[in-house]
Amino acid sequence: MNHWMSTHILTFLVFAPLFWGLLLFALPNRLAKLTKYLALIGSLGIFAIAALRLIPMLDSSNVLFSERAPLFTLLNIPIDYHLSLDGLNIWLILLTTFLVPTSIAGTWNSIKEHPGSFLALFTILESCILGAFLAKDLFLFYIFWEAMLIPMYFMIGIWGGTERKYAANKFIIFTLAGSLLWLVALLYLATQAGSFSPEIMAQVAMNLPFSKQSWLYLAFALAFAIKVPLFPLHTWLPDAHTEAPTAGSAILAGVLLKLGGYGFLRFAIPILPAAALYYAKPLAVLAVVAIIYGALVAMVQQDIKKLVAYSSVSHMGFVMLGIASFTLIGTQGAILQMLNHGISTGALFLLVGMLYDRAHTRMISDFGGIASKMPIFTFFFIMVTLSSIGLPLTNGFIGEFLILNGTFISGFTWGRIAAVVSVSGVLLGAIYMLWMVKRVFWGPENPDPKSGTAHLTSDLNIREIAVMTPLVILIFWMGLHHVTFTDASEAKVEYMLNDAKAPSTRSLLLNAPNQAQHGAH
């Protein structure tokens, strides 16, 4: 068994949650309490195994673990079972395995109807996410990419809020529309390459006319931009976040959105670097718009959860700006910001869920004076808020600083303007978060005996404190020692940027067409 675990750790991580989820499905509803304990124990066990096996690999300068075997052929193209671990995905894997048990423990009593079925879908979703992060063969990645829609759709559609069916349908239609167009591009490129291997696809794509490279890149970018989500493809996200149960919102914000940015870094840019460089400016413009737009819309929200949802649009805009900068600093900042957002926004959704479980409302106007009634809850909410607005010493600050710095020195003519304009997103983020905190925690208490504050009779319990404590520790650890989380990906990012011949690498765009040079500079 130990030998199998040593050589097939990636397979274990992908399929252990699936097996556990199917086991939970088999348990009858009357054993709901046992199901919850089994779900928590199983997810904690998977996280412990991932941490014990993967963290020691961070000491290696060449972080890599691979499993490969032939699966089947499609259109005479071989499809491999190819899982790979490197510096680009190792922390995303650990983030996923950490957030799943955290979300289960943090929403222990939130699901009233058929909690066993919900937790079964939740662990199956973990399996799909881990499969997508680890898949190296592009068709295998596509299978996991689409598979994760199924459990998420049912989690929103069955256990969500009053508009759950609308939100679930919108979520799946948006995602499917983008990914089906991407599948067409994927199959075209695979038939040209005779393989779904990204390396072979990249070699073949290099020799295609630039117009074809552009269309292929746009198809890749559309699918990944919807998942991010990037303005103006973001409209599914606030509905999905608001209607999803708390655990669904936490994992959606914490991990699912990161697959969009990961897709750009793992597949879109390495396979089609010239086209990616050519479209860096439009990508950056949309990212800047997302930063400002998300912050402005968040500012006028009356529902705390919807405010946090729109803040995700703004924060993920920073991630895309860092990727569009094509600099080592900016891209590393984007990778770090994906991890930061997973911790901070996941924590915010869990806290909003804890408040909703007590008050049965999320409207800002229903609260006021929470600080005097729930001091422990207030402490944790303030700590996470400071991270969200990018206060120095927290993870949010260092991520945004690296992104803005990388954009400013990118070598693109638009880089400095984009960086300066994006700074306003940081200011707006502080305004909408602190304004909400002021009203909810220190504002005048709503005198209505049926208001939210009137229902607050207890502070956080031991379980909830135990859930929030490691999240707050991570917020400051990532802010004070970010190299722990960026060292692993540095070599991978440098190689990608050199291959793309980004201006920041100080090399000429020798293999890119003239129009690509003109567009970049």
Side-chain angles (χ1 to χ4, degrees):
M1 181 65 180
N2 287 337
H3 174 72
W4 189 92
M5 283 288 290
S6 298
T7 56
H8 296 88
I9 180 63
L10 304 187
T11 296
F12 172 82
L13 289 176
V14 171
F15 291 103
L18 174 63
F19 169 80
W20 205 249
L22 294 174
L23 177 66
L24 297 178
F25 256 132
L27 295 176
N29 287 328
R30 66 176 183 274
L31 298 178
K33 192 170 184 179
L34 174 63
T35 303
K36 288 198 285 188
Y37 279 109
L38 287 175
L40 180 60
I41 292 168
S43 58
L44 279 172
I46 291 166
F47 168 62
I49 291 170
L52 291 172
R53 293 286 288 117
L54 303 189
I55 288 178
M57 293 183 182
L58 291 167
D59 296 331
S60 170
S61 59
N62 184 26
V63 181
L64 185 64
F65 200 100
S66 184
E67 297 176 28
R68 189 168 192 167
L71 275 180
F72 56 90
T73 59
L74 177 71
L75 304 174
N76 294 321
I77 304 169
I79 294 171
D80 291 340
Y81 174 76
H82 189 186
L83 304 178
S84 179
L85 180 81
D86 59 20
L88 206 57
N89 59 8
I90 188 167
W91 279 112
L92 290 167
I93 296 299
L94 290 167
L95 175 68
T96 304
T97 57
F98 169 70
L99 280 182
V100 169
T102 300
S103 300
I104 292 172
T107 60
W108 192 251
N109 297 314
S110 296
I111 302 297
K112 307 297 183 185
E113 300 291 329
H114 305 290
S117 298
F118 176 84
L119 291 170
L121 286 170
F122 198 63
T123 51
I124 291 171
L125 177 63
E126 178 185 11
S127 183
C128 298
I129 294 169
L130 292 173
F133 277 132
L134 288 169
K136 193 70 181 292
D137 182 279
L138 257 166
F139 194 80
L140 186 65
F141 175 82
Y142 182 82
I143 291 172
F144 283 117
W145 175 274
E146 295 289 38
M148 73 179 71
L149 299 181
I150 300 170
M152 196 70 208
Y153 174 79
F154 286 111
M155 285 163 59
I156 298 172
I158 297 174
W159 289 276
T162 54
E163 298 294 325
R164 57 185 178 273
K165 291 182 180 178
Y166 170 78
N169 288 332
K170 193 173 183 179
F171 162 71
I172 206 162
I173 288 170
F174 263 76
T175 313
L176 273 177
S179 56
L180 288 175
L181 288 171
W182 172 48
L183 178 62
V184 174
L186 195 58
L187 291 174
Y188 172 81
L189 194 52
T191 54
Q192 298 295 311
S195 172
F196 282 99
S197 166
E199 291 82 7
I200 298 175
M201 283 183 164
Q203 293 172 5
V204 171
M206 192 186 304
N207 298 318
L208 292 174
F210 185 72
S211 60
K212 287 188 177 179
Q213 292 185 43
S214 294
W215 283 111
L216 290 168
Y217 175 77
L218 289 174
F220 274 66
L222 177 65
F224 299 142
I226 289 173
K227 187 73 82 176
V228 168
L230 186 64
F231 179 91
L233 306 168
H234 68 283
T235 59
W236 65 268
L237 180 69
D239 293 314
H241 266 323
T242 306
E243 298 303 321
T246 300
S249 295
I251 207 71
L252 178 61
V255 184
L256 254 71
L257 306 188
K258 312 306 173 288
L259 278 158
Y262 176 77
F264 275 97
L265 296 171
R266 172 67 76 191
F267 299 116
I269 296 174
I271 292 174
L272 299 152
L277 194 64
Y278 179 71
Y279 286 105
K281 182 177 180 179
L283 188 65
V285 169
L286 292 177
V288 172
V289 173
I291 291 169
I292 308 301
Y293 169 84
L296 289 174
V297 178
M299 200 179 299
V300 299
Q301 296 305 311
Q302 298 302 310
D303 184 322
I304 302 174
K305 195 175 185 184
K306 208 158 194 175
L307 182 149
V308 177
Y310 275 105
S311 78
S312 286
V313 176
S314 184
H315 289 143
M316 291 305 292
F318 278 105
V319 171
M320 294 312 300
L321 182 63
I323 292 173
S325 74
F326 278 86
T327 61
L328 179 62
I329 295 174
T331 308
Q332 286 283 76
I335 294 170
L336 181 63
Q337 190 67 0
M338 286 197 286
L339 300 173
N340 294 341
H341 183 263
I343 295 296
S344 302
T345 307
L348 275 176
F349 277 118
L350 288 174
L351 286 166
V352 173
M354 292 171 189
L355 186 63
Y356 180 77
D357 287 344
R358 289 166 168 80
H360 309 296
T361 178
R362 298 189 300 260
M363 304 306 291
I364 294 173
S365 58
D366 287 335
F367 294 103
I370 290 182
S372 60
K373 289 201 167 192
M374 300 177 68
I376 299 174
F377 176 83
T378 303
F379 167 78
F380 283 113
F381 203 100
I382 296 301
M383 291 297 103
V384 179
T385 296
L386 295 178
S387 164
S388 183
I389 66 176
L391 189 78
L393 305 184
T394 67
N395 56 356
F397 170 77
I398 191 64
E400 290 173 353
F401 177 79
L402 292 175
I403 289 166
L404 294 171
N405 191 1
T407 304
F408 193 84
I409 65 169
S410 64
F412 291 119
T413 54
W414 47 263
R416 294 189 175 189
I417 297 173
V420 171
V421 173
S422 297
V423 170
S424 62
V426 180
L427 177 62
L428 291 170
I431 291 172
Y432 67 73
M433 286 300 295
L434 294 177
W435 188 32
M436 179 268 290
V437 166
K438 175 183 177 293
R439 288 178 288 169
V440 170
F441 290 88
W442 283 281
E445 184 176 333
N446 191 321
D448 186 348
K450 296 182 180 179
S451 71
T453 307
H455 290 89
L456 301 178
T457 57
S458 64
D459 208 338
L460 297 190
N461 56 38
I462 297 298
R463 169 182 55 80
E464 291 166 328
I465 293 171
V467 167
M468 295 309 304
T469 300
L471 291 167
V472 171
I473 291 171
L474 279 170
I475 282 171
F476 287 98
W477 179 18
M478 296 168 81
L480 293 168
H481 202 261
H482 70 276
V483 292
T484 305
F485 303 90
T486 55
D487 275 358
S489 57
E490 185 170 341
K492 192 78 177 175
V493 171
E494 277 187 321
Y495 181 82
M496 181 188 74
L497 294 175
N498 280 317
D499 198 41
K501 298 177 175 57
S504 59
T505 61
R506 297 181 182 275
S507 60
L508 297 174
L509 305 177
L510 297 176
N511 295 331
N514 291 333
Q515 54 184 343
Q517 292 190 37
H518 177 72
H521 294 284

